[in-house]
Amino acid sequence: MQYKIEKAVELFAIVWAAEIENIKDVIEQYCYFIDDSYKASQLTSFAHNLFDRYQSGTSALILHKELRALKELATGISHQRAIESQLLPDLSALTRDRAKFKGTIPVMKLENHKEPL
């Protein structure tokens, strides 16, 4: 039983770490481990549609919301609960201190970076 819980946590972490560029592959691999073929089909279809919309240039805001919804559907864990469970980093401190540290991190140019004309 402990092994199943550990494996589920690992899989949930992989799903929550997925980005739009690899969500289709992650969900396809994740579906091998779930025991509900209807849900696996639903998740796979959702992931393929989301990836297709990404490739067609859909708004990043819309894609972000749908990606979060897919991850919540796949894992059964809300975004807030994923943060509380440490599957995702808690970035609230960054937004809280944003005004205090605005513009303090220098961005360096790459050595071979060419400036656009």
Side-chain angles (χ1 to χ4, degrees):
M1 182 65 169
Q2 181 67 22
Y3 176 76
K4 286 184 178 182
I5 293 171
E6 290 172 1
K7 188 55 67 177
V9 170
E10 287 178 31
L11 291 169
F12 289 176
I14 291 168
V15 169
W16 278 103
E19 296 293 335
I20 193 74
E21 295 87 0
N22 68 348
I23 192 63
K24 185 172 67 167
D25 296 330
V26 168
I27 292 296
E28 286 175 353
Q29 295 302 315
Y30 175 75
C31 286
Y32 287 116
F33 294 94
I34 62 176
D35 63 355
D36 183 342
S37 60
Y38 175 76
K39 186 171 184 177
S41 174
Q42 184 183 19
L43 292 172
T44 302
S45 177
F46 193 162
H48 280 259
N49 289 338
L50 183 59
F51 187 76
D52 290 344
R53 293 182 68 198
Y54 162 69
Q55 288 188 317
S56 69
T58 301
S59 159
L61 182 60
I62 292 170
L63 292 173
H64 177 72
K65 288 179 182 179
E66 291 182 9
L67 180 61
R68 181 183 289 187
L70 175 57
K71 291 176 180 183
E72 290 176 349
L73 179 65
T75 62
I77 299 173
S78 71
H79 184 260
Q80 184 59 39
R81 184 71 178 125
I83 292 170
E84 292 168 1
S85 302
Q86 298 181 345
L87 295 172
L88 291 174
D90 183 1
L91 302 177
S92 62
L94 289 177
T95 56
R96 184 179 59 243
D97 297 334
R98 183 173 32 196
K100 181 178 177 183
F101 294 104
K102 183 177 181 179
T104 60
I105 300 173
V107 178
M108 300 175 67
K109 292 183 181 179
L110 297 174
E111 290 179 18
N112 295 327
H113 180 72
K114 294 182 180 177
E115 295 293 324
L117 297 176

